[in-house]
Amino acid sequence: MSSHDDRIHELESKVTELTALVDTLSTPAAQAGTPTVTATGTVMVCGMVAAADPAQTSSRRGMLKLAGAATAGAVAAAAARALPAAAADTDPLLASRIVETTSTTRLPTGLVYTNALAPQVAGALLGSLANANLFIARDTPSALVLGDPGLSSFPAAVAGYSYRTVANGVYGYTAMAGSGVVGLGTGTGSTGVYAQGTRANIELKAIGTAPGARTDPHVLGELVCDADGNLWGCTVAGTPGTWRKITGAATAGAFHALSPGRVFDSRAAQPAQGPIARPQTRTISVADKRDPTTGAVTLANFVPAGATAVAANVTVVSIAGSGFLTLNPGGNAAVESSTINWSAAGQILANGVILTLNTTRQLTVVAGGAGGSTEFLVDVTGYFL
């Protein structure tokens, strides 16, 4: 057999392979099959006309040319009829129209939504429609979801949903001198980032040293939570810049001014404790507002739970002898300073102070001095929380 015959047999084998491929791509069963020649010499492949010239079928070589052309046409037609291609799990997904770039054609790869109206999905109510996100990445919900899983209270260009597979909806990371996630709002009334959560609106990782002790540059507006849980704000850019502590375990928190209210009076029927004299101590609560005459509670949690300190006036009346009072956080009976002093009977004295509380909003009052005694009152004008 000549080399030409070998080549023809090889081409015939290729045509057979192409015909089998066409069979898999063509949906109608009547269009499947190998090339056939009609009585007029027209070659039919998958129901498509390849040629109508009988002269072209006079040799095996001509027949192969016609069959190859018809097969190529059938493949194109089948592709046109097929549903949009879906990438297999191991195949790359080509987005937009840019599939390759060079140093001179640095074009973006993107997902483009061309409709002028937002997409709609099934709403939470039967038969209703709601605007949805343009492009969605999500896993499958593990339980019933009201409405389409693509439904969004905040329709966005890109959305990430996690129902059961991973913990986070969207993750951003960078090893460059940039930001892992950027939120930019330039429209009227827009915000850069909106955060909402059932545990917390936003969480800052407690890590690193206090920013004032660092040597790297910082810019105005940065927030840092150091390893001790202290939250800092940058007020002046620099290396490391100027920082102000916003909150932390050793800070009192924000001050909340109050219309003055009495929280304790040793002369009142409630809690009926009477004068104090050296070396007595007395632990009192400043949580509730009380009636100035009877001492009855008129407003519970006047100083709310969690308050770390109060601004108060401490008054001494019905004095005998001389002495002083020290007001410490509840449970602390040490005498390391005086809160208010008196030197003789008959005086009425008051002092405005800031007093640290224990975790149950209590103060311990310690009487000291030369043995004098006094009644005392505590009026609160604000608290730190």
Side-chain angles (χ1 to χ4, degrees):
M1 184 180 292
S2 67
S3 60
H4 288 89
D5 289 336
D6 291 340
R7 180 60 175 161
I8 290 174
H9 281 297
E10 180 182 353
L11 292 175
E12 286 177 333
S13 176
K14 294 297 184 182
V15 169
T16 301
E17 293 178 6
L18 288 173
T19 302
L21 176 61
V22 171
D23 289 343
T24 63
L25 292 175
S26 301
T27 303
Q31 294 178 349
T34 56
T36 58
V37 181
T38 67
T40 60
T42 302
V43 177
M44 304 291 293
V45 178
C46 294
M48 298 189 63
V49 176
D53 185 359
Q56 293 183 358
T57 66
S58 59
S59 69
R60 295 172 70 190
R61 186 182 302 278
M63 182 68 175
L64 289 172
K65 288 181 179 179
L66 292 173
T71 302
V75 170
R81 290 192 303 272
L83 294 174
D89 288 344
T90 58
D91 291 342
L93 174 65
L94 301 180
S96 190
R97 60 188 178 87
I98 307 301
V99 297
E100 183 178 353
T101 62
T102 68
S103 60
T104 58
T105 59
R106 295 181 295 171
L107 300 175
T109 297
L111 298 171
V112 180
Y113 181 82
T114 59
N115 200 315
L117 301 176
Q120 290 187 315
V121 296
L125 299 178
L126 183 63
S128 66
L129 292 176
N131 286 347
N133 304 289
L134 298 188
F135 299 102
I136 299 171
R138 66 170 177 85
D139 57 7
T140 302
S142 58
L144 177 64
V145 176
L146 292 178
D148 189 280
L151 180 66
S152 176
S153 300
F154 306 93
V158 177
Y161 291 85
S162 175
Y163 289 99
R164 61 175 179 171
T165 307
V166 293
N168 305 295
V170 175
Y171 175 75
Y173 169 83
T174 181
M176 309 289 286
S179 302
V181 175
V182 175
L184 178 63
T186 60
T188 302
S190 65
T191 58
V193 175
Y194 176 84
Q196 176 183 334
T198 54
R199 180 173 61 87
N201 293 78
I202 190 169
E203 177 185 355
L204 300 178
K205 177 69 175 178
I207 189 171
T209 60
R214 301 180 185 182
T215 59
D216 52 335
H218 295 272
V219 298
L220 178 67
E222 288 184 359
L223 293 176
V224 168
C225 184
D226 66 28
D228 294 324
N230 298 307
L231 181 61
W232 302 82
C234 184
T235 59
V236 179
T239 305
T242 301
W243 295 84
R244 295 288 181 267
K245 184 186 287 188
I246 300 172
T247 187
T251 63
F255 178 69
H256 300 258
L258 296 171
S259 296
R262 183 151 300 170
V263 296
F264 184 83
D265 188 339
S266 64
R267 304 168 301 172
Q270 299 180 42
Q273 301 205 26
I276 187 172
R278 182 178 180 268
Q280 294 176 325
T281 64
R282 187 175 299 169
T283 297
I284 64 172
S285 172
V286 300
D288 301 329
K289 185 177 181 180
R290 295 177 176 271
D291 182 272
T293 302
T294 67
V297 174
T298 58
L299 179 61
N301 297 311
F302 178 59
V303 175
T308 58
V310 291
N313 283 326
V314 177
T315 305
V316 290
V317 298
S318 303
I319 292 171
S322 64
F324 67 86
L325 297 180
T326 296
L327 275 68
N328 294 326
N332 181 0
V335 177
E336 297 178 339
S337 65
S338 63
T339 303
I340 190 167
N341 299 268
W342 68 93
S343 59
Q347 294 178 313
I348 299 176
L349 303 171
N351 192 20
V353 291
I354 294 177
L355 303 171
T356 305
L357 307 176
N358 67 2
T359 56
T360 55
R361 293 167 287 173
Q362 291 179 320
L363 297 168
T364 291
V365 183
V366 183
S373 66
T374 186
E375 302 276 12
F376 67 98
L377 299 68
V378 180
D379 298 314
V380 168
T381 58
Y383 61 88
F384 293 83
L385 177 62

